[in-house]
Amino acid sequence: MQNQIVVHNQSIQDIETMAKAITKSGLFGIKTPDQAVALMLVAQSEGRHPASVASEFDIIQGRPALKSQAALARFQASGGKIQWTSRGPTKCAAKFNHPQGGELEITWTMDRANAAGLTGKQTWKQYPDQMLSARVVAEGVRAVFPACLNGVYLAEEVRSEEHTSELPVTVRNLVCRLLL
């Protein structure tokens, strides 16, 4: 196995082959093999099958980002509880509780989303309830029990960041970065 990168008993060639198959299938909305490889490496870092995280993540600005529904599922699976106190097109609020993280109520309003520069996108205009709810979940889970996120950003957090320049990520340099 000289000059061959091996990640958790799978060679980079095996990972690239799986990535091409996932991309070609059109499932999960993954557009490039490099995006699929990134998600497979995230899965392996979590001790899961490479294909298992595809439905939980989006690739946004070249970065894997956990969907808020997946973050909430991880939070609840780890013993967390959520109680919605308000959910509508102008305000969403929920109490988050976890045995290891305490309790906190998070509120997002359209005024807050406007101030953050988020509401100009079409999705915010069409689905304000869902977008506010996703923001509440992202902030609540991260604040009360971030351990269930394994250090990854949520899709809502990545979408709101401004990135002025991005270096292209190839499969091999991504693997090398993750192995260092």
Side-chain angles (χ1 to χ4, degrees):
M1 268 207 188
Q2 273 183 320
N3 286 336
Q4 185 177 21
I5 298 171
V6 178
V7 181
H8 297 280
N9 297 324
Q10 292 179 334
S11 72
I12 189 64
Q13 288 80 15
D14 292 340
I15 291 171
E16 288 172 331
T17 300
M18 286 188 286
K20 288 176 187 171
I22 286 175
T23 304
K24 187 176 180 181
S25 75
L27 297 174
F28 313 116
I30 298 170
K31 299 190 184 338
T32 69
D34 286 346
Q35 291 175 348
V37 167
L39 287 180
M40 287 181 203
L41 295 173
V42 168
Q44 288 181 344
S45 75
E46 295 180 355
R48 298 172 59 193
H49 187 275
S52 69
V53 298
S55 64
E56 293 181 349
F57 283 83
D58 285 327
I59 301 291
I60 302 169
Q61 299 167 341
R63 299 164 67 182
L66 189 63
K67 295 176 182 177
S68 61
Q69 301 95 327
L72 184 56
R74 288 179 180 199
F75 178 76
Q76 291 173 316
S78 69
K81 295 182 179 164
I82 182 174
Q83 178 185 359
W84 291 98
T85 57
S86 176
R87 191 166 187 278
T90 59
K91 175 184 172 185
C92 287
K95 288 181 184 175
F96 292 81
N97 184 300
H98 193 280
Q100 293 178 297
E103 183 175 291
L104 181 66
E105 184 166 9
I106 302 293
T107 302
W108 268 85
T109 63
M110 285 305 282
D111 288 341
R112 184 177 177 196
N114 259 334
L118 301 172
T119 58
K121 298 176 183 170
Q122 191 61 32
T123 310
W124 276 88
K125 294 173 184 172
Q126 290 179 309
Y127 307 103
D129 306 39
Q130 292 87 341
M131 298 307 290
L132 289 171
S133 296
R135 282 287 169 168
V136 167
V137 168
E139 186 175 338
V141 170
R142 183 162 308 285
V144 175
F145 193 64
C148 68
L149 301 177
N150 294 330
V152 298
Y153 288 102
L154 273 68
E156 291 70 28
E157 295 168 325
V158 175
R159 280 190 188 105
S160 66
E161 289 181 9
E162 294 284 330
H163 292 284
T164 56
S165 67
E166 295 252 353
L167 295 175
V169 177
T170 66
V171 172
R172 291 195 186 276
N173 73 23
L174 177 63
V175 171
C176 290
R177 276 193 242 162
L178 290 171
L179 291 176
L180 295 175

